[in-house]
Amino acid sequence: MFENLGFAAYDGVALDDAASLVPIDLKRPNPGTDDVVVQVQAIALNPVDEKQRAALNQQQAPRILGYDACGVITAVGSGVSRFKPGERVMYAGTTKRPGSFEQYQAVAAELIAQAPANLTAGDAAALPLVGLTAWELLFEKMNFVPAAQANKGKTLLIINGAGGVGSMLSQLAHWTGMTVLATASTRHFDWLARHGVDVPLNYHEDLIAAVHAAGYPVVDAVAILYATEPYLDLAAQLVAPFGHVGAVATPQGPLDVTALKPKGASLDFEFMFAKSDFHHDMASQGHILSQLATLAAVGLIDPSVTTRFDKINAANIKTGLRTLMAGHQAGKIVLDGPFEA
Amino acid sequence: MFENLGFAAYDGVALDDAASLVPIDLKRPNPGTDDVVVQVQAIALNPVDEKQRAALNQQQAPRILGYDACGVITAVGSGVSRFKPGERVMYAGTTKRPGSFEQYQAVAAELIAQAPANLTAGDAAALPLVGLTAWELLFEKMNFVPAAQANKGKTLLIINGAGGVGSMLSQLAHWTGMTVLATASTRHFDWLARHGVDVPLNYHEDLIAAVHAAGYPVVDAVAILYATEPYLDLAAQLVAPFGHVGAVATPQGPLDVTALKPKGASLDFEFMFAKSDFHHDMASQGHILSQLATLAAVGLIDPSVTTRFDKINAANIKTGLRTLMAGHQAGKIVLDGPFEA
């Protein structure tokens, strides 16, 4: 019997290596003053899990990854008044503390929100990381207005519209009245349409010509949800004056952003762990999650789960991560408990 | 007697060359439907004048530079209802049409605003280009709020705080309650203090250490009003998570913006001619100028004129441009008419 079963990574060995994620028994955490402790019921996977794991170099202490969870609060710190044991919550958490690949996880109360009652734990776990990324990019970095129909007449082009962040971003933009153009494989065009995309674009084709042919000489914003380099020049050509080019990937070297200057355009980096890494306005993430929960509760956004596992174990996590890293996944992969060694 | 005396540039010869700015007689323009024609009373100089002139290559038609003017409307187009002849207005205009180095200039009505009654024509001419640049950078690109005390608790670091744009930016930021740090030569520290700067920084010293020593581990925004390259790394180190790094200079090549990513920071290019170059939201510039006029009328911003000439002629324009290009000028250089061949 485990006190707190977790899946630990110590080194960036191949994902298929038996040592890549090791079941271990952890101490059950006590909540810090401003923490809650959550019994994790479901987790969702993200590329950041595998990127962080692959970059590990002989950790002495177990590194517990996992940045999307839904679960039930079992304990609260003395400084926490907004939540109480028994409530079901969702969160992404922070890379600075153990993640959700464990049965009992301590997380700062300001980073969490109540999970929508009408969602399964798996669906709720699929919302936080992609929802925070999409919300922050669209409303905090690109400065569109987070309210129904508030951005009518504005246009957004999403590069990689069918992925986890893309599927959330298209729905949020659609909710605010924007016209959404998005690239994907043609086999995902139905998926795009169901997630608020007005103009699907085949990512194999000449995108500038396709955007122009669809009737848009420029777009107000371009979200590059893929490597930045291959799409930066296209984004600079298509973005409107004073427009926004968003990027979520770390550049591999210097970027030629010269073409943004004559348009007075912005290059907006979005990184949802920046707030918790630097203890900057962390409470805003709990607030954003509350708004995402409301939108999900009334059906205005869908958690976009396409792959479900019914046990949280090392084999399922690895299978899910392999699928994610292959790069053709539409929507989210969730593991809807229980934990199993 | 000239019908419309102008100073024409045909080629990027040395500024001291007699052919660099040639007095010529132009046809007096008729207003287009949405234009006004202005009898120019005063102009202000900007580095963009000399940069554009030096880049010219054997123009057949005269190129009339000049992007800051105050004057009296002599005619209005049939579509113009907001202005009438006799009104005194100010504007920067557009690089796509003849500028203000001429006695009678046609300009789109949406790009102009009434000049403050309590300002001389020279002071009013000093406001538009730097005012538009500073306003757009601070309020449209960096998204601070354009209202008195609205940004209290926020911090702005200005690289080159004593120049034309810097002096306007510091005053606008101060008006909105921001704490302003700015670099300059120590001999301009009094100037900085009179223009809303709270923390003057000697640009010869280690700026990161100086900002930290002043009690600011990070700042919410950094405005690089100089070449971007030498200050980008410093800006990335000092900018707060989700903060803004503004730039007004065209990069000379690819930029290493990698350090902005972990902070989720933005690189905001500001170029006040982007709106008129692309016919994008041009009316916003008339609206901004109206607000600048109001702030100047009540003394909340000062046009920051340090050098005045009392005739608009080629010799004075050249002397002023030489001073500007030397790069040590605090504030603005104005030529307060009349025109003289």
Side-chain angles (χ1 to χ4, degrees):
Chain A
M1 188 61 190
F2 289 92
E3 184 184 347
N4 179 20
L5 171 61
F7 298 98
Y10 291 92
D11 207 346
V13 297
L15 185 59
D16 289 334
D17 193 300
S20 65
L21 283 172
V22 186
I24 59 166
D25 197 7
L26 299 162
K27 249 185 83 64
R28 193 160 146 175
N30 289 314
T33 307
D34 300 314
D35 289 342
V36 302
V37 171
V38 176
Q39 182 174 12
V40 175
Q41 296 179 318
I43 61 174
L45 301 179
N46 294 286
V48 67
D49 299 318
E50 174 57 11
K51 284 181 190 163
Q52 293 219 349
R53 195 202 61 74
L56 291 178
N57 189 14
Q58 294 189 331
Q59 307 295 299
Q60 297 306 304
R63 178 77 193 274
I64 308 297
L65 304 163
Y67 304 107
D68 259 336
C70 176
V72 173
I73 293 176
T74 58
V76 303
S78 59
V80 175
S81 57
R82 286 174 50 235
F83 297 96
K84 51 184 189 295
E87 289 183 313
R88 194 175 70 143
V89 295
M90 63 184 190
Y91 52 89
T94 150
T95 65
K96 299 300 177 196
R97 300 176 71 176
S100 49
F101 292 178
E102 60 183 339
Q103 284 178 296
Y104 292 91
Q105 181 185 1
V107 58
E110 60 189 352
L111 293 176
I112 73 175
Q114 290 206 2
N118 59 329
L119 260 53
T120 65
D123 281 349
L127 287 173
L129 189 142
V130 295
L132 287 164
T133 301
W135 184 287
E136 290 176 353
L137 178 58
L138 197 60
F139 303 132
E140 298 187 348
K141 301 297 311 177
M142 294 175 160
N143 291 295
F144 294 103
V145 179
Q149 303 303 316
N151 305 308
K152 248 185 134 47
K154 301 285 185 185
T155 44
L156 170 69
L157 167 63
I158 306 174
I159 304 297
N160 192 16
V165 176
S167 302
M168 189 56 68
L169 186 60
S170 58
Q171 294 184 98
L172 288 176
H174 176 75
W175 162 58
T176 69
M178 300 181 81
T179 299
V180 184
L181 303 81
T183 72
S185 160
T186 51
R187 71 193 168 90
H188 290 143
F189 276 16
D190 281 352
W191 175 271
L192 294 182
R194 288 200 308 277
H195 289 83
V197 173
D198 301 285
V199 181
L201 300 162
N202 179 348
Y203 80 112
H204 285 301
E205 295 188 349
D206 178 338
L207 289 176
I208 292 177
V211 171
H212 289 169
Y216 302 92
V218 293
V219 292
D220 294 298
V222 182
I224 306 177
L225 307 180
Y226 193 79
T228 308
E229 285 81 351
Y231 290 99
L232 187 56
D233 183 57
L234 171 152
Q237 287 186 61
L238 286 177
V239 74
F242 277 61
H244 290 266
V245 175
V248 298
T250 301
Q252 297 303 298
L255 295 180
D256 190 352
V257 292
T258 310
L260 298 176
K261 164 61 169 51
K263 289 184 168 177
S266 294
L267 177 64
D268 299 307
F269 285 112
E270 160 58 24
F271 182 52
M272 69 131 284
F273 290 116
K275 289 181 182 174
S276 49
D277 280 357
F278 295 95
H279 292 274
H280 170 83
D281 197 14
M282 284 168 60
S284 68
Q285 295 202 324
H287 185 60
I288 293 168
L289 288 176
S290 291
Q291 295 174 83
L292 290 168
T294 300
L295 291 172
V298 298
L300 282 167
I301 58 171
D302 175 75
S304 307
V305 178
T306 48
T307 308
R308 296 175 197 274
F309 295 91
D310 63 0
K311 289 196 177 60
I312 301 175
N313 59 31
N316 288 343
I317 293 174
K318 289 184 190 189
T319 302
L321 291 178
R322 265 192 299 272
T323 304
L324 269 187
M325 298 316 283
H328 302 294
Q329 173 74 14
K332 296 285 294 178
I333 299 172
V334 301
L335 288 74
D336 209 336
F339 278 76
E340 175 184 85
Chain B
M1 186 65 188
F2 288 92
E3 183 182 350
N4 180 19
L5 171 62
F7 297 97
Y10 291 90
D11 207 346
V13 297
L15 186 58
D16 289 334
D17 193 301
S20 65
L21 283 171
V22 186
I24 60 168
D25 197 8
L26 299 161
K27 247 184 85 63
R28 193 159 147 176
N30 289 313
T33 307
D34 299 315
D35 289 342
V36 302
V37 172
V38 175
Q39 183 175 11
V40 175
Q41 296 179 318
I43 61 174
L45 302 179
N46 293 286
V48 67
D49 299 318
E50 174 57 11
K51 285 180 191 163
Q52 293 219 350
R53 196 202 61 76
L56 291 179
N57 188 15
Q58 293 188 333
Q59 307 295 298
Q60 299 304 304
R63 179 76 193 274
I64 309 297
L65 304 163
Y67 304 107
D68 260 337
C70 176
V72 173
I73 294 176
T74 58
V76 303
S78 58
V80 175
S81 56
R82 285 174 52 235
F83 297 97
K84 52 183 188 297
E87 287 183 313
R88 195 175 68 143
V89 296
M90 62 182 191
Y91 52 89
T94 151
T95 65
K96 299 299 178 197
R97 300 176 72 176
S100 49
F101 291 178
E102 60 182 341
Q103 283 179 296
Y104 292 92
Q105 181 186 1
V107 58
E110 59 189 351
L111 293 177
I112 73 176
Q114 289 205 2
N118 59 329
L119 259 53
T120 66
D123 281 349
L127 288 172
L129 190 143
V130 295
L132 287 164
T133 301
W135 185 287
E136 290 175 354
L137 178 58
L138 197 60
F139 303 132
E140 298 187 348
K141 301 298 311 178
M142 293 175 160
N143 291 295
F144 294 103
V145 179
Q149 302 302 317
N151 305 308
K152 250 187 131 47
K154 300 285 185 184
T155 44
L156 170 69
L157 167 62
I158 305 174
I159 304 297
N160 192 15
V165 176
S167 302
M168 189 57 68
L169 187 60
S170 58
Q171 294 184 97
L172 289 175
H174 176 74
W175 163 58
T176 70
M178 300 181 80
T179 299
V180 183
L181 302 81
T183 71
S185 161
T186 51
R187 71 193 167 90
H188 290 142
F189 276 17
D190 281 352
W191 175 271
L192 295 182
R194 289 201 307 277
H195 290 82
V197 173
D198 301 285
V199 181
L201 300 162
N202 180 348
Y203 79 111
H204 285 299
E205 295 187 350
D206 178 338
L207 289 176
I208 292 177
V211 171
H212 289 170
Y216 302 92
V218 293
V219 292
D220 294 298
V222 181
I224 306 178
L225 306 180
Y226 194 79
T228 309
E229 285 80 353
Y231 290 99
L232 187 56
D233 184 56
L234 171 151
Q237 287 187 61
L238 286 177
V239 74
F242 276 61
H244 290 266
V245 175
V248 298
T250 302
Q252 297 303 299
L255 295 180
D256 189 352
V257 293
T258 311
L260 298 176
K261 165 61 168 52
K263 289 183 168 176
S266 293
L267 176 63
D268 299 308
F269 285 113
E270 161 57 25
F271 182 53
M272 68 131 286
F273 290 115
K275 289 181 181 173
S276 49
D277 280 356
F278 295 94
H279 292 275
H280 171 83
D281 197 14
M282 282 169 60
S284 68
Q285 294 201 324
H287 185 60
I288 293 168
L289 288 177
S290 291
Q291 295 175 82
L292 290 167
T294 301
L295 291 173
V298 297
L300 281 167
I301 58 171
D302 175 77
S304 305
V305 178
T306 49
T307 308
R308 296 176 196 274
F309 295 91
D310 63 1
K311 289 197 176 58
I312 301 175
N313 59 29
N316 287 344
I317 293 174
K318 290 184 190 189
T319 302
L321 291 178
R322 266 192 299 271
T323 304
L324 270 188
M325 298 315 284
H328 301 296
Q329 173 74 13
K332 296 285 292 177
I333 299 172
V334 302
L335 288 74
D336 209 336
F339 277 77
E340 175 185 86

